[in-house]
């Protein structure tokens, strides 16, 4: 976090880490941590995070990544998976004063998804950071329902600045992204160039996003390159008048 011309500047990353399995088929938390460190980010929303699951060597991924990056952490479990847990994670340079995980209401039978939320205090300003992974179903009834729950959760924080990261599994012109843009700033849409994030080995589209409440300003967007996952991370530098 930086303070410049009276503005608080924060760097945010969203990253679907594919349970730390890279395009080489190897599970490697060190390269995920290295990527986070090199991006010099303050807040990280991680999707597809395993804890103690057999498929990923029973690693506590979020706790290990917190140790490797020197950041605070939170985890929101959505599913039991192979003798372990599976869900979303958050890393933050700032201490967490409150955290909760919302399991979305399921419209149809599908994989359980959720919205992990933390409250942090930055320069005497309470900020809410949310992280999610929306289902890839072609029927958008489930995802539109999820957006309504995201909006309701954001509104419950009494006007605190909001940041939302996530793998929304839909392209920029989709109904769910347009629905999010009714209330939030889509960081990627403020800059007129494509920010392709998936698949990392043969980039075709963007399905990973950072949204903010309208009191933030988007300073820059970047997509660091790596084959540590099947997604690329999206990084936004955002500012808030302090």
């Amino acid at each position: 976090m930086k303070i410049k011309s009276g503005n608080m500047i924060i760097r945010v990353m969203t990253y679907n880490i594919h349970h730390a399995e890279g395009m080489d088929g190897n599970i490697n938390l060190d390269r995920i941590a290295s990527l986070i460190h090199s991006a010099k980010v303050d807040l990280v929303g991680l999707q597809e995070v395993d804890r103690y699951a057999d498929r990923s060597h029973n690693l506590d991924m979020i706790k290990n990544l917190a140790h490797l990056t020197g950041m605070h952490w939170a985890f929101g479990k959505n599913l039991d998976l192979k003798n372990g847990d599976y869900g979303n994670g958050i890393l933050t340079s700032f201490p967490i004063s409150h955290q909760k995980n919302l399991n979305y209401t399921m419209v149809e039978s599908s994989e359980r998804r959720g919205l992990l939320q933390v409250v942090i205090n930055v320069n005497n300003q309470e900020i809410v950071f949310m992280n999610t992974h929306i289902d890839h179903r072609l029927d958008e009834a489930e995802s539109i329902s999820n957006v309504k729950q995201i909006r309701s959760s954001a509104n419950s924080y009494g006007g605190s600045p909001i940041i939302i990261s996530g793998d929304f599994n839909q392209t920029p012109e989709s109904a769910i992204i347009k629905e999010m843009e009714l209330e939030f700033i889509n960081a990627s849409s403020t800059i007129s160039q494509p920010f392709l994030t998936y698949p990392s080995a043969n980039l075709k589209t963007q399905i990973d996003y950072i949204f903010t409440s309208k009191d933030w300003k988007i300073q820059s967007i970047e997509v660091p390159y790596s084959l540590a996952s099947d997604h690329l991370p999206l990084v936004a530098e955002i500012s808030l008048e302090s």
Side-chain angles (χ1 to χ4, degrees):
M1 190 268 288
K2 299 181 288 185
I3 301 293
K4 185 177 181 181
S5 302
N7 289 342
M8 175 198 310
I9 300 174
I10 290 179
R11 288 177 61 81
V12 184
M13 173 186 284
T14 185
Y15 194 14
N16 182 325
I17 64 170
H18 191 230
H19 60 274
E21 182 180 328
M23 299 310 294
D24 57 3
N26 294 323
I27 292 172
N28 188 324
L29 288 173
D30 287 333
R31 58 189 173 188
I32 300 288
S34 177
L35 190 58
I36 292 169
H37 180 74
S38 64
K40 298 180 180 178
V41 288
D42 305 292
L43 296 170
V44 187
L46 302 172
Q47 303 88 41
E48 296 195 17
V49 180
D50 287 2
R51 299 191 78 188
Y52 315 115
D54 292 346
R55 71 172 178 181
S56 48
H57 314 312
N58 308 107
L59 293 168
D60 185 343
M61 290 194 165
I62 190 66
K63 195 169 183 179
N64 285 5
L65 285 170
H67 174 74
L68 290 168
T69 59
M71 302 175 85
H72 304 277
W73 64 275
F75 179 75
K77 175 182 175 178
N78 297 328
L79 294 172
D80 294 322
L81 177 73
K82 299 185 183 298
N83 296 317
D85 300 332
Y86 173 80
N88 299 312
I90 282 175
L91 298 173
T92 165
S93 297
F94 314 104
I96 296 168
S97 60
H98 177 72
Q99 68 181 74
K100 66 178 179 180
N101 188 52
L102 169 70
N103 283 325
Y104 292 132
T105 301
M106 299 174 72
V107 176
E108 301 178 21
S109 178
S110 61
E111 181 181 309
R112 171 73 71 185
R113 305 290 174 132
L115 179 68
L116 178 60
Q117 307 158 62
V118 301
V119 178
I120 57 176
N121 187 288
V122 184
N123 201 33
N124 296 318
Q125 170 68 63
E126 184 178 272
I127 292 172
V128 180
F129 182 44
M130 302 180 173
N131 181 38
T132 193
H133 187 187
I134 303 294
D135 203 339
H136 65 278
R137 297 173 64 87
L138 294 177
D139 181 350
E140 291 182 325
E142 192 93 35
S143 58
I144 295 298
S145 172
N146 296 163
V147 171
K148 291 177 180 178
Q149 291 185 270
I150 292 171
R151 185 182 298 125
S152 177
S153 294
N155 291 339
S156 73
Y157 287 99
S160 292
I162 304 288
I163 305 167
I164 305 163
S165 68
D167 174 359
F168 282 74
N169 260 315
Q170 293 290 340
T171 56
E173 69 279 1
S174 66
I176 180 177
I177 300 305
K178 297 304 180 186
E179 188 78 14
M180 285 290 292
E181 290 173 342
L182 293 177
E183 187 154 340
F184 305 105
I185 298 170
N186 178 356
S188 306
S189 70
T190 64
I191 299 172
S192 57
Q193 69 179 73
F195 293 98
L196 306 182
T197 61
Y198 183 82
S200 60
N202 182 25
L203 291 170
K204 294 180 180 178
T205 191
Q206 178 182 5
I207 58 175
D208 305 277
Y209 299 87
I210 294 169
F211 294 93
T212 72
S213 50
K214 294 182 180 179
D215 38 10
W216 292 94
K217 290 185 179 180
I218 311 304
Q219 301 295 333
S220 65
I221 299 281
E222 59 191 87
V223 182
Y225 185 73
S226 172
L227 293 177
S229 167
D230 61 344
H231 288 241
L232 295 185
L234 181 73
V235 176
E237 187 165 282
I238 62 177
S239 65
L240 183 72
E241 194 170 304
S242 58

